[in-house]
Amino acid sequence: MAASTEITLRRPDDWHVHLRDGAMLNAVAPITARAFARAIVMPNLVDPVTTAAAAGQYRERILDAVGRDGGFTPLMTCYLTDRTDAEDLCAGHADGVFTAAKLYPAGATTNSASGVTDMARIRPVLEAMQETAMPLLIHGEVTDPEVDVFDREAVFIERVLTPLLADFPALRVVFEHITTADAVAFVRAQGPRVAATVTVHHLLINRTDLFRGGIRPHLYCLPVAKREAHRLALVEAATSGEGCFFLGTDSAPHPVADKESACGCAGIFSAPAALELYAQVFADQGVPERLEAFAALNGPAFYGLPVNEGTVTLKREDWTVPDAVPVAVGGLVRPFMGGEVVGWKVAD
Ligand code: NCD
Ligand code: ZN
């Protein structure tokens, strides 16, 4: 069979993205809205989004940044802390302000200092979420400094996720940006109440790539990329078409100066070529027809939302990812694969 040169799918969604705020929001939100109809917007702003009121205001700022023509719908999340008010959370969910809540173990990643220090502290919140079927989105890494950074996801499964799912047998959970074969196997072994997002960078890079010819700060994110065997397990899972795996870019822009630093921060800005790179992965696996399930069907099915109207077509065509995106005056963000050639392009 000849390799396909065109992929048409329902308009896709990004089930995990960081849009930030202010000048950065204005620069990056239209880039996500270009390719995705909806996105689950992460709440880890410098001042985290912890209340329904704050989420409502943030949603307005996002709509200001992308325009209000109805082409893009931000789906808001609540940043859980030790002090989250279950009532405000559930009221926000019932009102349609919150689609889900995000669990950052305190200290696990960028802007997670006010995250949850101990799962016991959010028991009432988790009970309420289980009751109302509000999805819990989890950054699945332990923060124990004794645990090797490459093992933090696997250890999280054992120490936190397994007991959590046993304690809350109906809680709906998305294991975000999985990076290991352990996580793939774990998610598969659960019922339909557990799903996982897979980023495009974890499908394309392994931990050796972080040191290709020197240290590569723009390939550093959390959870950090793992060994090649894990990357291969992620590719197999994402391209399987199974309903428990769906698209979440974790596109996480940071100013160049914060990445190219003696202590460079975590986060990969993949939005400028994310959909095209996912298409390339599926095409390279010989299953371009499965991109639609991963990018446009499995996520809505898990979240109980309708699939999007309309379609998007990708064509087999080489183009070069821009090597920088300007942010206000003088600022820059460097995209994932900036300056490199991608073999698929969204048709106009
Ligand atoms: C994210 C960020 O920069 O906000 N960074 C990252 O490396 N992925 C936070 C996160 O999702 O862990
Ligand atoms: Zn993230």
Side-chain angles (χ1 to χ4, degrees), residues 130-144:
Q130 173 168 258
E131 188 70 25
T132 56
M134 180 178 190
L136 176 67
L137 316 184
I138 299 184
H139 184 109
E141 289 191 285
V142 293
T143 54
D144 180 348

Side-chain angles (χ1 to χ4, degrees), residues 3 8 21 30 34 54 62 98 122 141 148 182 208 213 334:
T8 296
D21 214 342
R34 164 195 75 96
I62 295 167
F98 286 134
I122 58 164
E141 289 191 285
D148 188 280
D182 313 59
T208 298
R334 229 175 263 303

